Amino acid sequence: AQTVTQSQPEMSVQEAETVTLSCTYDTSESDYYLFWYKQPPSRQMILVIRQEAYKQQNATENRFSVNFQKAAKSFSLKISDSQLGDAAMYFCAYRITHTGTASKLTFGTGTRLQVML
Amino acid sequence: DTEVTQTPKHLVMGMTNKKSLKCEQHMGHRAMYWYKQKAKKPPELMFVYSYEKLSINESVPSRFSPECPNSSLLNLHLHALQPEDSALYLCASSPGLAGGAPKNIQYFGAGTRLSVL
C-alpha cells in the first residue's frame, strides 16, 4: 500500500522569507503523480503544484517549487517570498497514474504553516 | 471556472434526523468524490462516482448513502448519524481520463461542517 509521510506537523516562516515543507512517500509503482494541496481556514483544498514522476525536471508555479527526488522518494515544497496568505495547512498527496476515470489520492498528515509579520 | 459548490455550509442535526448534503459542479467532470475530514487530519475518501455509477465505497457505514442523479450533482444522504460522525465533509470532482491522465486533477469544494448532537 502507498503511504505519504509529512514529518513536520507545524512550521513557521517570516514574511518574505523562504520555507521548505517535507514529504516522503512509499510506493512500488514507477508511474505516479505527486501533489501539494493547501487548505486555508476557509476550508477549501486548493491545488498548489503537481509533479509527474516520469519527469525529472522539478515543477514550479510562481513562488512555489518542488524538489523531487524519485530514488529517495522525497517531494518537498519550497515557498519563496512568503506572504500572509500562504498561512494554511499543506497536504502532500500521491496517486498512481492509471487508475481509470477516478483518481484516488493518498494524503499525508499535513503541515500547518504560520507566516509571521 | 473550477468551482465545486457545496450546500449547506454548516449543518446541525440530531441522531434521529435525516438530512442531505449537496455538491454541484458545471465543469463537465465525470468523476465525483465524497471525503470526510476530522479536525487537523487529512481528508479520508468515502465514495467515488465515475460516470454516475458508484465505483468506490471505502467501507462506509450504511447511515451514509450517496446518490449521483446526474453528471453535475452529487448528494450524500444522512440518517441516524452518531456524534463521532461530526466532521467537515468535502466534495471533489475530476475530469476523468478524457483529457489525459495529467489533467485528471481533483478540484474541491469548501465543504459542509456537520455537527451531530
Side-chain angles (χ1 to χ4, degrees), chain B residues 58-80:
Chain B
E58 294 286 284
S59 303
V60 179
S62 60
R63 57 186 184 268
F64 295 91
S65 176
E67 179 196 19
C68 190
N70 59 60
S71 60
S72 300
L73 187 57
L74 185 67
N75 298 318
L76 186 62
H77 303 297
L78 314 173
H79 173 55

Side-chain angles (χ1 to χ4, degrees), chain A residues 37 39 43-44 50 95 103, chain B residues 33 37 101-102 104 106 108 111:
Chain A
Y37 277 90
Q39 188 176 35
R43 310 180 320 203
Q44 187 166 9
R50 65 174 174 169
R95 74 166 170 92
S103 59
Chain B
Y33 311 75
Q37 187 179 24
N104 201 13
Q106 290 188 31
F108 286 81

Side-chain angles (χ1 to χ4, degrees), chain A residues 1-72:
Chain A
Q2 295 84 16
T3 58
V4 178
T5 302
Q6 293 178 250
S7 58
Q8 306 153 315
E10 291 191 7
M11 293 281 285
S12 63
V13 62
Q14 292 290 129
E15 196 179 16
E17 296 295 310
T18 296
V19 65
T20 299
L21 308 184
S22 301
C23 173
T24 58
Y25 58 95
D26 188 24
T27 183
S28 57
E29 302 287 338
S30 59
D31 199 9
Y32 50 87
Y33 291 90
L34 295 163
F35 306 87
W36 280 98
Y37 277 90
K38 166 185 175 181
Q39 188 176 35
S42 65
R43 310 180 320 203
Q44 187 166 9
M45 297 276 283
I46 301 164
L47 179 66
V48 174
I49 198 166
R50 65 174 174 169
Q51 175 78 41
E52 297 160 51
Y54 67 87
K55 288 189 177 178
Q56 292 188 337
Q57 186 174 6
N58 289 324
T60 61
E61 287 286 343
N62 301 313
R63 297 182 295 107
F64 299 88
S65 61
V66 298
N67 184 3
F68 173 49
Q69 303 287 331
K70 190 173 184 179

Side-chain angles (χ1 to χ4, degrees), chain B residues 14-96:
Chain B
M15 290 191 285
T16 58
N17 292 157
K18 286 185 181 180
K19 297 286 184 183
S20 297
L21 309 184
K22 180 180 172 182
C23 173
E24 210 163 356
Q25 57 86 14
H26 296 287
M27 297 178 279
H29 288 180
R30 304 317 303 266
M32 296 186 77
Y33 311 75
W34 279 116
Y35 288 86
K36 174 183 177 180
Q37 187 179 24
K38 301 287 268 186
K40 298 185 181 181
K41 297 289 187 183
E44 298 174 14
L45 184 65
M46 299 175 71
F47 301 104
V48 182
Y49 273 83
S50 175
Y51 287 86
E52 295 109 71
K53 291 188 183 346
L54 183 65
S55 62
I56 297 175
N57 177 343
E58 294 286 284
S59 303
V60 179
S62 60
R63 57 186 184 268
F64 295 91
S65 176
E67 179 196 19
C68 190
N70 59 60
S71 60
S72 300
L73 187 57
L74 185 67
N75 298 318
L76 186 62
H77 303 297
L78 314 173
H79 173 55
L81 294 194
Q82 303 297 310
E84 59 265 28
D85 296 322
S86 298
L88 179 67
Y89 287 84
L90 292 166
C91 174
S93 70
S94 66

Side-chain angles (χ1 to χ4, degrees), chain A residues 86-105:
Chain A
D86 295 332
M89 181 73 92
Y90 286 81
F91 290 101
C92 180
Y94 160 100
R95 74 166 170 92
I96 61 174
T97 298
H98 301 293
T99 58
T101 300
S103 59
K104 184 174 178 178
L105 290 170

